[in-house]
Amino acid sequence: MAESVVLDPVDLHLLRLLQNDARTTYRDLAAQVGVAPSTCLDRVARLRRSGVILGHRLRLDPAKLGRGLQALLSVQVRPHRRELVGPFVERIRALPEARTVFHLTGPDDYLVHVAVADMADLQRLVLDEFTARREVARVETRLVFQQWECGPLLPPGHARS
């Protein structure tokens, strides 16, 4: 398990701001947290080096890209062995429909968030890419009606603002 990084109030404020808008300039960040732009740049660079900041992503609207139906697939793999985990996950991650893959405890081994064009596309995906695999014992599908982003991720004990 990765070690926690000690963050002071300025670091936490920077992380809140960057999670809300990763395109904020260092000058604007510095002004909002009350430090010099060079100090802000150094702090953000340190947060990247320490692995707190993992990268920047562009969020896209799946519906605007012709993938208006989203679903969560609960997948049970049998046998659930280490030598199957890597290849299974890599195959799923390579699917253009796959958004996120979780390896779980409990009755299901994986939870896969997918975005597809329509119900026929979802059926094709489940039948051709999941249940057709020898190691997949069961797939349960749940449609996503709506989803919401939550507030910034902060260390335990720090309130959101």
Side-chain angles (χ1 to χ4, degrees), residues 44-86:
V44 172
R46 181 180 50 80
L47 291 167
R48 281 192 184 108
R49 281 191 312 274
S50 66
V52 173
I53 295 176
L54 298 175
H56 305 280
R57 290 197 173 100
L58 182 67
R59 289 180 40 226
L60 303 174
D61 182 341
K64 301 241 177 146
L65 296 172
R67 296 181 182 278
L69 181 65
Q70 295 185 62
L72 298 171
L73 307 179
S74 299
V75 183
Q76 191 177 72
V77 173
R78 293 294 175 257
H80 189 202
R81 284 200 228 129
R82 185 174 294 279
E83 62 268 14
L84 293 176
V85 169

Side-chain angles (χ1 to χ4, degrees), residues 81-142:
R81 284 200 228 129
R82 185 174 294 279
E83 62 268 14
L84 293 176
V85 169
F88 178 79
V89 169
E90 289 312 307
R91 174 65 191 131
I92 299 311
R93 289 184 68 209
L95 295 171
E97 300 88 353
R99 307 306 313 131
T100 311
V101 181
F102 298 94
H103 191 191
L104 309 171
T105 63
D108 297 315
D109 301 311
Y110 298 93
L111 182 64
V112 184
H113 176 202
V114 299
V116 295
D118 53 28
M119 198 62 77
D121 196 27
L122 179 60
Q123 181 182 24
R124 177 207 50 79
L125 179 70
V126 170
L127 293 175
D128 296 348
E129 301 294 344
F130 285 87
T131 59
R133 297 185 62 88
R134 261 193 326 236
E135 70 272 24
V136 173
R138 184 179 58 80
V139 176
E140 276 187 29
T141 304
R142 291 172 178 81

